[in-house]
């Protein structure tokens, strides 16, 4: 029940090069190879006059004969690799002060700009009175050895930084996440036919029994009993008031985890499971006939409905609805289209309490788009979208400088729905513009009520490339009489910018008005350094993937530091996302990050908490 290529094999060339790499010798693990030349070369430094004398062998290696005796500072600057200057000086100082020989490996520069590695033995020279008069260095070309050592180090670092698997799993259920599951569906589409099942699972409120905890022991109070559903329960077609009462919200993930284990015991070894939504599990039935797929899907749904789930604080049964979509090789519908069709099917089934809704053929693209746009319009009209605000702290003042407005989505039952999934689907079906415009107008309303707030408003890359957006934003700013300097429009690069010319027009216009422009999730997704030159970006948000483990990951440290330096060179402020602890905050300060955002400095809160309190009318009556 895992992807066939979960482990990513190393490229053959990489394996062969590892096999051919030199083996460590017994002398401390040092790699010993024959030097390019067995002829030792030397130089002699004399403190009197601060001059250096060269051997003919060293002159030949450098590729350019030094003119006469040169002073030591010139030699160090010209012939020692600049990254080895400090080490070379330290070794000379140590040989001088300790009166003992010192060994060091450094890189020397050739006349053509190339360089080579040498082992250098530094020995102090003394005069008749025993005082130090200079240093003599004996060198040997070890370029081949050092090249092999660096290659071994490079391969080792690359092995540590490349993920062993491209298969990402959902932490709550252990199943493939939606993106990786979709990849497997696409692969199945290329290989042959089959079916895709999406199952919606939620607690059955009418069949839930709480458990007691006494004396530190968990005990069951009574047995799971079947109760009669009264009026207002979920069995009334079309009336769904939530995902269950009598069970804590955090237990929904636990229920999905247990449901995944049930399905794992029923599916074939070649079938794949994935978590495709907050309450949905996908099952990929590749290479099965339509008749067998329907029979298996029916079995899965019945098993979930009949299974008693034992959670830490409750016994319960689950309600389940499923959408099953058949696919053929070479069909126009891709993995995301099939997922949308299957999700729409289970929603239809829930409306009539039908456990399984089969779809013999993928829905035509135009119908799919129209249906989803209707769903978006319905959600916008029934207050199933809401906004929360998360503070962003400026590190110079340690004060909240702005708030990012984040979308929260409820499904038709009032249960939480993944905003990432909703926006991703809306972008694919060209339905995200209406959502973005809804967010912009709510942000304008809040900015009008609180002229002391600076707000960051997320916009899809597709909306930024929509020619309608610029006029709409200008109109809303005038209607609500908002100070444009309060607003930063943040391009969320979950999709490529649809029209770069229109995006540049929008960016120039909003900046002319006084707004700022930000680029979200930089370092991942579709955002690229090219956008920093094409768009007048004021603020870059470093993707939290590189911040969450920053303190323990030298590779992430290099990347974040480099991004900050690039942005500083371009005159762009930086924000680090997902900051969760003090060590990470301190490191980001050292790197020169301007702002931070994350649970350490503030969690998202409903925007109503930012609204001014209502004024209380005072009565004139005594």
């Amino acid at each position: 029940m895992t992807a066939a290529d979960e482990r990513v094999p190393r490229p053959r060339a990489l394996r062969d090069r590892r096999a051919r790499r030199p083996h460590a010798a017994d002398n401390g693990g040092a790699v010993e190879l024959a030097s390019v030349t067995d002829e030792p070369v030397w130089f002699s430094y004399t403190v009197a006059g601060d001059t250096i004398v060269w051997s003919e062998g060293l002159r030949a290696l450098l590729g350019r004969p030094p003119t006469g005796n040169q002073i030591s500072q010139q030699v160090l600057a010209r012939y020692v690799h600049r990254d080895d200057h400090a080490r070379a000086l330290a070794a000379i100082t140590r040989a001088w002060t300790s009166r003992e020989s010192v060994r060091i490996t450094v890189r020397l520069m050739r006349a053509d700009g190339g360089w080579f590695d040498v082992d250098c033995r530094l020995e102090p020279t003394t005069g008749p009175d025993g005082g130090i008069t200079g240093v003599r260095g004996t060198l040997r070309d070890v370029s081949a050895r050092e090249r092999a050592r660096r290659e071994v180090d490079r391969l080792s670092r690359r092995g540590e930084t490349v993920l062993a698997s491209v298969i990402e799993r959902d932490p709550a259920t252990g199943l493939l996440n939606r993106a990786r599951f979709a990849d497997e569906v696409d692969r199945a589409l290329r290989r042959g036919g089959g079916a895709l099942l999406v199952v919606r699972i939620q607690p059955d409120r009418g069949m839930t029994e709480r458990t007691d905890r006494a004396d530190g022991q968990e005990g069951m109070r009574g047995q799971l009993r079947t109760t009669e559903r009264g009026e207002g329960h979920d069995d009334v077609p079309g009336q769904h008031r939530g995902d269950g009462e009598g069970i804590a919200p955090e237990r929904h993930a636990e229920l999905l985890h247990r449901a995944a284990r049930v399905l794992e015991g029923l599916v074939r070894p070649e079938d794949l499971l994935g978590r495709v939504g907050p309450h949905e599990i996908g099952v990929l039935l590749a290479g099965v006939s339509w008749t067998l797929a329907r029979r298996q899907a029916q079995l899965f749904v019945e098993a979930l409905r009949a299974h008693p789930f034992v959670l830490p604080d409750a016994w319960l049964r689950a309600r389940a609805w499923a959408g099953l979509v058949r696919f053929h090789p070479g069909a126009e519908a891709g993995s995301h289209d099939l997922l949308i069709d299957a999700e729409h099917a289970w929603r239809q089934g829930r409306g009539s309490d039908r456990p399984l809704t089969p779809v013999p053929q993928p829905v035509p693209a135009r119908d799919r788009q129209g249906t989803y746009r209707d769903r978006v319009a319905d959600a916008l009209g029934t207050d199933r979208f809401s906004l929360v605000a998360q503070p962003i702290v400026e590190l110079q003042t340690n004060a909240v400088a702005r708030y990012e407005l984040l979308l929260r989505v409820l499904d038709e039952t009032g249960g939480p729905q993944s905003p990432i999934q909703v926006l991703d689907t809306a972008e694919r079906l060209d339905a995200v513009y209406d959502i973005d415009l809804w967010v912009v107008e709510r942000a304008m309303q809040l900015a009008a009520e609180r002229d002391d707030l600076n707000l960051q408003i997320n916009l899809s890359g597709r909306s930024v490339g929509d020619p309608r957006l610029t006029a709409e934003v200008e109109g809303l700013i005038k209607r609500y009489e908002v100070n444009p300097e309060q607003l930063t429009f943040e391009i969320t690069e979950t999709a490529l910018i649809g029209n770069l010319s229109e995006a540049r027009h929008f960016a120039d216009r909003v900046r002319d008005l006084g707004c700022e422009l930000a680029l979200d999730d930089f370092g991942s997704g579709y955002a690229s350094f090219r956008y920093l030159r094409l768009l007048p970006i004021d603020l870059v948000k470093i993707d939290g993937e590189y911040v969450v483990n920053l303190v323990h990951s030298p590779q992430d440290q290099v990347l974040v530091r480099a991004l900050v330096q690039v942005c500083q060179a371009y005159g762009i402020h930086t924000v680090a996302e997902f900051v969760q602890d003090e060590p990470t905050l301190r490191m980001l300060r050292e790197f020169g990050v301007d702002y931070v955002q994350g649970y350490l400095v503030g969690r998202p809160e409903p925007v109503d908490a930012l609204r001014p309190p209502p004024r209380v009318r005072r009565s004139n009556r005594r």
Side-chain angles (χ1 to χ4, degrees), residues 238-250:
Q239 296 184 16
H240 305 282
R241 301 189 304 172
D243 283 343
E245 295 174 352
I247 177 173
E250 60 270 16

Side-chain angles (χ1 to χ4, degrees), residues 257-279:
H257 173 82
R258 306 289 175 103
R261 304 292 81 81
V262 172
L263 291 175
E264 284 178 338
L266 297 173
V267 299
R268 305 172 305 163
E270 58 268 33
D271 296 334
L272 285 175
L273 297 174
R275 184 176 184 181
V276 298
H279 305 287

Side-chain angles (χ1 to χ4, degrees), residues 366-378:
R366 180 173 297 181
D367 294 344
R368 183 184 301 114
Q369 186 180 55
T371 299
Y372 196 80
R373 283 181 171 175
D374 290 343
R375 283 185 55 206
V376 169
D378 181 64

Side-chain angles (χ1 to χ4, degrees), residues 548-586:
V548 69
N549 195 40
L550 184 67
V551 174
H552 306 291
S553 173
Q555 294 79 23
D556 288 345
Q557 293 170 21
V558 170
L559 191 145
V560 170
R561 186 186 288 110
L563 288 178
V564 173
Q565 291 174 349
V566 168
C567 289
Q568 289 173 342
Y570 277 66
I572 298 172
H573 291 301
T574 50
V575 180
E577 302 177 307
F578 289 16
V579 179
Q580 302 182 52
D581 53 58
E582 288 289 347
T584 301
L585 180 62
R586 287 195 296 270

